[in-house]
mmCIF file of all heavy atoms in Angstrom:
data_model
loop_
_atom_site.group_PDB
_atom_site.id
_atom_site.type_symbol
_atom_site.label_atom_id
_atom_site.label_comp_id
_atom_site.label_asym_id
_atom_site.label_seq_id
_atom_site.Cartn_x
_atom_site.Cartn_y
_atom_site.Cartn_z
ATOM 1 N N TRP A 6 35.339 119.934 71.256
ATOM 2 C CA TRP A 6 36.359 119.290 72.091
ATOM 3 C C TRP A 6 37.762 119.747 71.677
ATOM 4 O O TRP A 6 38.556 120.193 72.505
ATOM 5 C CB TRP A 6 36.238 117.772 71.993
ATOM 6 C CG TRP A 6 37.190 117.055 72.893
ATOM 7 C CD1 TRP A 6 38.482 116.745 72.632
ATOM 8 C CD2 TRP A 6 36.922 116.603 74.220
ATOM 9 N NE1 TRP A 6 39.043 116.106 73.704
ATOM 10 C CE2 TRP A 6 38.105 116.007 74.698
ATOM 11 C CE3 TRP A 6 35.811 116.628 75.039
ATOM 12 C CZ2 TRP A 6 38.203 115.441 75.963
ATOM 13 C CZ3 TRP A 6 35.906 116.060 76.305
ATOM 14 C CH2 TRP A 6 37.089 115.481 76.753
ATOM 15 N N TYR A 7 38.071 119.636 70.383
ATOM 16 C CA TYR A 7 39.419 119.975 69.926
ATOM 17 C C TYR A 7 39.669 121.482 69.947
ATOM 18 O O TYR A 7 40.808 121.917 70.152
ATOM 19 C CB TYR A 7 39.691 119.372 68.550
ATOM 20 C CG TYR A 7 39.766 117.855 68.616
ATOM 21 C CD1 TYR A 7 38.958 117.064 67.826
ATOM 22 C CD2 TYR A 7 40.629 117.220 69.501
ATOM 23 C CE1 TYR A 7 39.010 115.686 67.904
ATOM 24 C CE2 TYR A 7 40.681 115.846 69.583
ATOM 25 C CZ TYR A 7 39.878 115.082 68.788
ATOM 26 O OH TYR A 7 39.934 113.712 68.873
ATOM 27 N N ALA A 8 38.630 122.281 69.796
ATOM 28 C CA ALA A 8 38.792 123.730 69.949
ATOM 29 C C ALA A 8 39.140 124.066 71.396
ATOM 30 O O ALA A 8 39.936 124.969 71.659
ATOM 31 C CB ALA A 8 37.519 124.455 69.530
ATOM 32 N N THR A 9 38.577 123.318 72.334
ATOM 33 C CA THR A 9 38.896 123.538 73.737
ATOM 34 C C THR A 9 40.339 123.138 74.043
ATOM 35 O O THR A 9 41.032 123.823 74.807
ATOM 36 C CB THR A 9 37.916 122.764 74.640
ATOM 37 O OG1 THR A 9 36.592 123.132 74.288
ATOM 38 C CG2 THR A 9 38.154 123.074 76.100
ATOM 39 N N VAL A 10 40.803 122.052 73.450
ATOM 40 C CA VAL A 10 42.208 121.655 73.633
ATOM 41 C C VAL A 10 43.124 122.751 73.077
ATOM 42 O O VAL A 10 44.113 123.134 73.718
ATOM 43 C CB VAL A 10 42.499 120.288 72.976
ATOM 44 C CG1 VAL A 10 43.980 119.977 73.002
ATOM 45 C CG2 VAL A 10 41.703 119.188 73.659
ATOM 46 N N ALA A 11 42.796 123.275 71.912
ATOM 47 C CA ALA A 11 43.588 124.368 71.330
ATOM 48 C C ALA A 11 43.520 125.610 72.217
ATOM 49 O O ALA A 11 44.521 126.315 72.397
ATOM 50 C CB ALA A 11 43.094 124.693 69.929
ATOM 51 N N TYR A 12 42.338 125.879 72.783
ATOM 52 C CA TYR A 12 42.176 127.006 73.699
ATOM 53 C C TYR A 12 43.104 126.864 74.909
ATOM 54 O O TYR A 12 43.715 127.843 75.351
ATOM 55 C CB TYR A 12 40.706 127.102 74.147
ATOM 56 C CG TYR A 12 40.469 127.994 75.332
ATOM 57 C CD1 TYR A 12 40.442 129.376 75.180
ATOM 58 C CD2 TYR A 12 40.268 127.462 76.598
ATOM 59 C CE1 TYR A 12 40.222 130.199 76.268
ATOM 60 C CE2 TYR A 12 40.048 128.271 77.681
ATOM 61 C CZ TYR A 12 40.020 129.639 77.519
ATOM 62 O OH TYR A 12 39.807 130.446 78.604
ATOM 63 N N LEU A 13 43.225 125.652 75.442
ATOM 64 C CA LEU A 13 44.109 125.432 76.587
ATOM 65 C C LEU A 13 45.556 125.752 76.236
ATOM 66 O O LEU A 13 46.277 126.378 77.022
ATOM 67 C CB LEU A 13 43.990 123.992 77.086
ATOM 68 C CG LEU A 13 42.693 123.621 77.771
ATOM 69 C CD1 LEU A 13 42.669 122.131 78.069
ATOM 70 C CD2 LEU A 13 42.502 124.425 79.039
ATOM 71 N N VAL A 14 45.996 125.321 75.065
ATOM 72 C CA VAL A 14 47.372 125.602 74.636
ATOM 73 C C VAL A 14 47.583 127.107 74.488
ATOM 74 O O VAL A 14 48.585 127.650 74.976
ATOM 75 C CB VAL A 14 47.689 124.874 73.313
ATOM 76 C CG1 VAL A 14 49.032 125.301 72.764
ATOM 77 C CG2 VAL A 14 47.649 123.366 73.518
ATOM 78 N N LEU A 15 46.635 127.776 73.850
ATOM 79 C CA LEU A 15 46.751 129.228 73.677
ATOM 80 C C LEU A 15 46.686 129.959 75.015
ATOM 81 O O LEU A 15 47.379 130.957 75.221
ATOM 82 C CB LEU A 15 45.655 129.738 72.748
ATOM 83 C CG LEU A 15 45.777 129.296 71.301
ATOM 84 C CD1 LEU A 15 44.545 129.711 70.512
ATOM 85 C CD2 LEU A 15 47.034 129.853 70.670
ATOM 86 N N MET A 16 45.871 129.459 75.938
ATOM 87 C CA MET A 16 45.770 130.066 77.259
ATOM 88 C C MET A 16 47.098 129.967 78.008
ATOM 89 O O MET A 16 47.547 130.928 78.624
ATOM 90 C CB MET A 16 44.654 129.403 78.067
ATOM 91 C CG MET A 16 44.425 130.043 79.423
ATOM 92 S SD MET A 16 43.061 129.304 80.339
ATOM 93 C CE MET A 16 43.665 127.656 80.637
ATOM 94 N N VAL A 17 47.738 128.804 77.942
ATOM 95 C CA VAL A 17 49.029 128.632 78.607
ATOM 96 C C VAL A 17 50.064 129.572 78.001
ATOM 97 O O VAL A 17 50.819 130.232 78.721
ATOM 98 C CB VAL A 17 49.505 127.159 78.522
ATOM 99 C CG1 VAL A 17 50.949 127.023 78.948
ATOM 100 C CG2 VAL A 17 48.611 126.276 79.363
ATOM 101 N N ALA A 18 50.099 129.658 76.683
ATOM 102 C CA ALA A 18 51.057 130.554 76.025
ATOM 103 C C ALA A 18 50.787 132.007 76.402
ATOM 104 O O ALA A 18 51.724 132.774 76.669
ATOM 105 C CB ALA A 18 50.992 130.382 74.509
ATOM 106 N N THR A 19 49.537 132.394 76.446
ATOM 107 C CA THR A 19 49.188 133.777 76.795
ATOM 108 C C THR A 19 49.551 134.089 78.239
ATOM 109 O O THR A 19 50.114 135.155 78.530
ATOM 110 C CB THR A 19 47.678 134.014 76.572
ATOM 111 O OG1 THR A 19 47.377 133.745 75.209
ATOM 112 C CG2 THR A 19 47.291 135.429 76.908
ATOM 113 N N LEU A 20 49.245 133.174 79.139
ATOM 114 C CA LEU A 20 49.542 133.418 80.548
ATOM 115 C C LEU A 20 51.043 133.447 80.831
ATOM 116 O O LEU A 20 51.482 134.095 81.766
ATOM 117 C CB LEU A 20 48.848 132.373 81.429
ATOM 118 C CG LEU A 20 47.324 132.462 81.462
ATOM 119 C CD1 LEU A 20 46.738 131.314 82.263
ATOM 120 C CD2 LEU A 20 46.868 133.796 82.027
ATOM 121 N N ARG A 21 51.809 132.733 80.012
ATOM 122 C CA ARG A 21 53.270 132.738 80.189
ATOM 123 C C ARG A 21 53.932 133.853 79.383
ATOM 124 O O ARG A 21 55.140 133.999 79.400
ATOM 125 C CB ARG A 21 53.856 131.389 79.782
ATOM 126 C CG ARG A 21 53.402 130.263 80.706
ATOM 127 C CD ARG A 21 54.068 128.957 80.401
ATOM 128 N NE ARG A 21 55.500 128.971 80.450
ATOM 129 C CZ ARG A 21 56.234 128.907 81.559
ATOM 130 N NH1 ARG A 21 55.628 128.847 82.710
ATOM 131 N NH2 ARG A 21 57.536 128.906 81.505
ATOM 132 N N HIS A 22 53.129 134.630 78.665
ATOM 133 C CA HIS A 22 53.616 135.751 77.852
ATOM 134 C C HIS A 22 54.678 135.296 76.850
ATOM 135 O O HIS A 22 55.762 135.875 76.767
ATOM 136 C CB HIS A 22 54.180 136.876 78.733
ATOM 137 C CG HIS A 22 53.203 137.382 79.736
ATOM 138 N ND1 HIS A 22 52.115 138.135 79.384
ATOM 139 C CD2 HIS A 22 53.135 137.234 81.080
ATOM 140 C CE1 HIS A 22 51.433 138.442 80.472
ATOM 141 N NE2 HIS A 22 52.016 137.897 81.519
ATOM 142 N N CYS A 23 54.361 134.234 76.110
ATOM 143 C CA CYS A 23 55.291 133.744 75.103
ATOM 144 C C CYS A 23 54.523 133.347 73.842
ATOM 145 O O CYS A 23 53.301 133.232 73.853
ATOM 146 C CB CYS A 23 56.111 132.572 75.637
ATOM 147 S SG CYS A 23 55.163 131.103 76.039
ATOM 148 N N THR A 24 55.266 133.132 72.782
ATOM 149 C CA THR A 24 54.650 132.675 71.538
ATOM 150 C C THR A 24 54.513 131.155 71.580
ATOM 151 O O THR A 24 55.058 130.494 72.467
ATOM 152 C CB THR A 24 55.511 133.069 70.323
ATOM 153 O OG1 THR A 24 56.766 132.384 70.422
ATOM 154 C CG2 THR A 24 55.731 134.572 70.268
ATOM 155 N N LEU A 25 53.794 130.613 70.613
ATOM 156 C CA LEU A 25 53.642 129.160 70.562
ATOM 157 C C LEU A 25 54.974 128.464 70.308
ATOM 158 O O LEU A 25 55.234 127.384 70.830
ATOM 159 C CB LEU A 25 52.622 128.774 69.491
ATOM 160 C CG LEU A 25 51.175 129.159 69.794
ATOM 161 C CD1 LEU A 25 50.277 128.811 68.610
ATOM 162 C CD2 LEU A 25 50.681 128.469 71.044
ATOM 163 N N ARG A 26 55.835 129.095 69.516
ATOM 164 C CA ARG A 26 57.161 128.521 69.260
ATOM 165 C C ARG A 26 57.979 128.474 70.551
ATOM 166 O O ARG A 26 58.641 127.475 70.852
ATOM 167 C CB ARG A 26 57.890 129.333 68.198
ATOM 168 C CG ARG A 26 59.292 128.781 67.916
ATOM 169 C CD ARG A 26 59.926 129.447 66.756
ATOM 170 N NE ARG A 26 59.278 128.863 65.578
ATOM 171 C CZ ARG A 26 59.376 129.352 64.365
ATOM 172 N NH1 ARG A 26 60.075 130.436 64.139
ATOM 173 N NH2 ARG A 26 58.790 128.774 63.348
ATOM 174 N N GLU A 27 57.952 129.566 71.332
ATOM 175 C CA GLU A 27 58.678 129.588 72.611
ATOM 176 C C GLU A 27 58.101 128.556 73.576
ATOM 177 O O GLU A 27 58.844 127.897 74.306
ATOM 178 C CB GLU A 27 58.605 130.981 73.234
ATOM 179 C CG GLU A 27 59.381 132.037 72.484
ATOM 180 C CD GLU A 27 59.078 133.447 72.974
ATOM 181 O OE1 GLU A 27 58.092 133.637 73.713
ATOM 182 O OE2 GLU A 27 59.830 134.360 72.605
ATOM 183 N N LEU A 28 56.773 128.409 73.579
ATOM 184 C CA LEU A 28 56.140 127.414 74.436
ATOM 185 C C LEU A 28 56.577 126.010 74.035
ATOM 186 O O LEU A 28 56.889 125.177 74.892
ATOM 187 C CB LEU A 28 54.616 127.534 74.364
ATOM 188 C CG LEU A 28 53.831 126.571 75.243
ATOM 189 C CD1 LEU A 28 54.132 126.822 76.720
ATOM 190 C CD2 LEU A 28 52.348 126.698 74.963
ATOM 191 N N GLY A 29 56.638 125.747 72.735
ATOM 192 C CA GLY A 29 57.117 124.445 72.264
ATOM 193 C C GLY A 29 58.549 124.168 72.685
ATOM 194 O O GLY A 29 58.888 123.054 73.081
ATOM 195 N N THR A 30 59.399 125.188 72.618
ATOM 196 C CA THR A 30 60.789 125.043 73.044
ATOM 197 C C THR A 30 60.864 124.745 74.539
ATOM 198 O O THR A 30 61.637 123.888 74.973
ATOM 199 C CB THR A 30 61.580 126.330 72.720
ATOM 200 O OG1 THR A 30 61.459 126.585 71.317
ATOM 201 C CG2 THR A 30 63.046 126.184 73.087
ATOM 202 N N GLU A 31 60.037 125.439 75.331
ATOM 203 C CA GLU A 31 60.021 125.189 76.772
ATOM 204 C C GLU A 31 59.517 123.784 77.089
ATOM 205 O O GLU A 31 60.022 123.119 77.992
ATOM 206 C CB GLU A 31 59.152 126.225 77.482
ATOM 207 C CG GLU A 31 59.753 127.612 77.508
ATOM 208 C CD GLU A 31 58.863 128.617 78.218
ATOM 209 O OE1 GLU A 31 57.957 128.195 78.974
ATOM 210 O OE2 GLU A 31 59.083 129.817 78.027
ATOM 211 N N ILE A 32 58.527 123.334 76.340
ATOM 212 C CA ILE A 32 57.994 121.985 76.571
ATOM 213 C C ILE A 32 59.043 120.934 76.233
ATOM 214 O O ILE A 32 59.227 119.965 76.970
ATOM 215 C CB ILE A 32 56.704 121.770 75.755
ATOM 216 C CG1 ILE A 32 55.572 122.595 76.359
ATOM 217 C CG2 ILE A 32 56.325 120.300 75.687
ATOM 218 C CD1 ILE A 32 54.306 122.612 75.535
ATOM 219 N N LEU A 33 59.748 121.119 75.120
ATOM 220 C CA LEU A 33 60.784 120.149 74.743
ATOM 221 C C LEU A 33 61.961 120.156 75.715
ATOM 222 O O LEU A 33 62.700 119.173 75.794
ATOM 223 C CB LEU A 33 61.263 120.421 73.320
ATOM 224 C CG LEU A 33 60.228 120.127 72.231
ATOM 225 C CD1 LEU A 33 60.769 120.531 70.869
ATOM 226 C CD2 LEU A 33 59.823 118.670 72.249
ATOM 227 N N ALA A 34 62.137 121.245 76.453
ATOM 228 C CA ALA A 34 63.223 121.327 77.426
ATOM 229 C C ALA A 34 62.855 120.687 78.768
ATOM 230 O O ALA A 34 63.696 120.626 79.663
ATOM 231 C CB ALA A 34 63.622 122.786 77.634
ATOM 232 N N LEU A 35 61.626 120.205 78.917
ATOM 233 C CA LEU A 35 61.217 119.558 80.159
ATOM 234 C C LEU A 35 62.004 118.277 80.380
ATOM 235 O O LEU A 35 62.482 117.655 79.429
ATOM 236 C CB LEU A 35 59.724 119.223 80.125
ATOM 237 C CG LEU A 35 58.742 120.383 80.163
ATOM 238 C CD1 LEU A 35 57.332 119.862 79.922
ATOM 239 C CD2 LEU A 35 58.824 121.125 81.468
ATOM 240 N N GLY A 36 62.090 117.869 81.617
ATOM 241 C CA GLY A 36 62.738 116.606 81.937
ATOM 242 C C GLY A 36 61.898 115.437 81.443
ATOM 243 O O GLY A 36 60.705 115.585 81.130
ATOM 244 N N SER A 37 62.480 114.279 81.379
ATOM 245 C CA SER A 37 61.797 113.094 80.853
ATOM 246 C C SER A 37 60.491 112.764 81.575
ATOM 247 O O SER A 37 59.480 112.511 80.920
ATOM 248 C CB SER A 37 62.728 111.883 80.897
ATOM 249 O OG SER A 37 63.803 112.086 80.022
ATOM 250 N N PRO A 38 60.457 112.739 82.924
ATOM 251 C CA PRO A 38 59.189 112.405 83.591
ATOM 252 C C PRO A 38 58.080 113.419 83.284
ATOM 253 O O PRO A 38 56.932 113.034 83.036
ATOM 254 C CB PRO A 38 59.530 112.421 85.078
ATOM 255 C CG PRO A 38 60.993 112.207 85.137
ATOM 256 C CD PRO A 38 61.537 112.847 83.897
ATOM 257 N N SER A 39 58.409 114.689 83.273
ATOM 258 C CA SER A 39 57.402 115.716 82.983
ATOM 259 C C SER A 39 56.931 115.620 81.542
ATOM 260 O O SER A 39 55.737 115.761 81.254
ATOM 261 C CB SER A 39 57.977 117.111 83.236
ATOM 262 O OG SER A 39 58.312 117.263 84.582
ATOM 263 N N LEU A 40 57.848 115.380 80.634
ATOM 264 C CA LEU A 40 57.489 115.257 79.223
ATOM 265 C C LEU A 40 56.626 114.018 78.987
ATOM 266 O O LEU A 40 55.673 114.054 78.211
ATOM 267 C CB LEU A 40 58.758 115.203 78.377
ATOM 268 C CG LEU A 40 58.600 115.457 76.885
ATOM 269 C CD1 LEU A 40 57.908 116.792 76.625
ATOM 270 C CD2 LEU A 40 59.952 115.438 76.195
ATOM 271 N N LEU A 41 56.938 112.937 79.691
ATOM 272 C CA LEU A 41 56.147 111.717 79.580
ATOM 273 C C LEU A 41 54.728 111.944 80.118
ATOM 274 O O LEU A 41 53.747 111.533 79.488
ATOM 275 C CB LEU A 41 56.823 110.572 80.336
ATOM 276 C CG LEU A 41 56.141 109.216 80.270
ATOM 277 C CD1 LEU A 41 56.121 108.709 78.828
ATOM 278 C CD2 LEU A 41 56.832 108.232 81.173
ATOM 279 N N ALA A 42 54.597 112.613 81.251
ATOM 280 C CA ALA A 42 53.281 112.903 81.830
ATOM 281 C C ALA A 42 52.478 113.821 80.912
ATOM 282 O O ALA A 42 51.274 113.618 80.710
ATOM 283 C CB ALA A 42 53.435 113.525 83.208
ATOM 284 N N LEU A 43 53.117 114.835 80.353
ATOM 285 C CA LEU A 43 52.439 115.745 79.436
ATOM 286 C C LEU A 43 51.990 115.002 78.179
ATOM 287 O O LEU A 43 50.875 115.201 77.701
ATOM 288 C CB LEU A 43 53.351 116.913 79.070
ATOM 289 C CG LEU A 43 52.765 117.939 78.105
ATOM 290 C CD1 LEU A 43 51.570 118.644 78.736
ATOM 291 C CD2 LEU A 43 53.821 118.944 77.701
ATOM 292 N N SER A 44 52.831 114.133 77.665
ATOM 293 C CA SER A 44 52.471 113.343 76.480
ATOM 294 C C SER A 44 51.284 112.435 76.769
ATOM 295 O O SER A 44 50.372 112.315 75.939
ATOM 296 C CB SER A 44 53.655 112.496 76.021
ATOM 297 O OG SER A 44 54.736 113.313 75.666
ATOM 298 N N ALA A 45 51.266 111.817 77.934
ATOM 299 C CA ALA A 45 50.146 110.948 78.310
ATOM 300 C C ALA A 45 48.859 111.754 78.437
ATOM 301 O O ALA A 45 47.798 111.337 77.953
ATOM 302 C CB ALA A 45 50.459 110.235 79.618
ATOM 303 N N ALA A 46 48.939 112.922 79.055
ATOM 304 C CA ALA A 46 47.753 113.764 79.230
ATOM 305 C C ALA A 46 47.216 114.233 77.875
ATOM 306 O O ALA A 46 46.002 114.208 77.643
ATOM 307 C CB ALA A 46 48.081 114.959 80.116
ATOM 308 N N LEU A 47 48.095 114.647 76.987
ATOM 309 C CA LEU A 47 47.653 115.101 75.671
ATOM 310 C C LEU A 47 47.065 113.953 74.856
ATOM 311 O O LEU A 47 46.094 114.140 74.125
ATOM 312 C CB LEU A 47 48.804 115.758 74.916
ATOM 313 C CG LEU A 47 49.193 117.144 75.416
ATOM 314 C CD1 LEU A 47 50.417 117.663 74.668
ATOM 315 C CD2 LEU A 47 48.049 118.116 75.289
ATOM 316 N N THR A 48 47.644 112.771 74.992
ATOM 317 C CA THR A 48 47.116 111.600 74.296
ATOM 318 C C THR A 48 45.700 111.301 74.761
ATOM 319 O O THR A 48 44.804 111.036 73.949
ATOM 320 C CB THR A 48 48.028 110.379 74.517
ATOM 321 O OG1 THR A 48 49.338 110.691 74.054
ATOM 322 C CG2 THR A 48 47.499 109.152 73.807
#
């Protein structure tokens, strides 16, 4: 299960052609509603 969650994160980073650090920066730059929805989904 958790390997699949990690796979999803790596897949998103690969498809966006960025590193995990850049992906984290982009995620933190999201607006409040999007960040809240992403946090709920990850939880």
Side-chain angles (χ1 to χ4, degrees):
W6 184 275
Y7 292 124
T9 305
V10 172
Y12 166 78
L13 290 174
V14 172
L15 292 173
M16 184 177 65
V17 168
T19 301
L20 292 175
R21 294 185 57 80
H22 304 289
C23 64
T24 64
L25 291 176
R26 179 172 284 167
E27 291 169 346
L28 181 63
T30 303
E31 289 180 18
I32 289 172
L33 291 176
L35 291 172
S37 295
S39 297
L40 196 55
L41 182 63
L43 180 64
S44 299
L47 286 176
T48 302

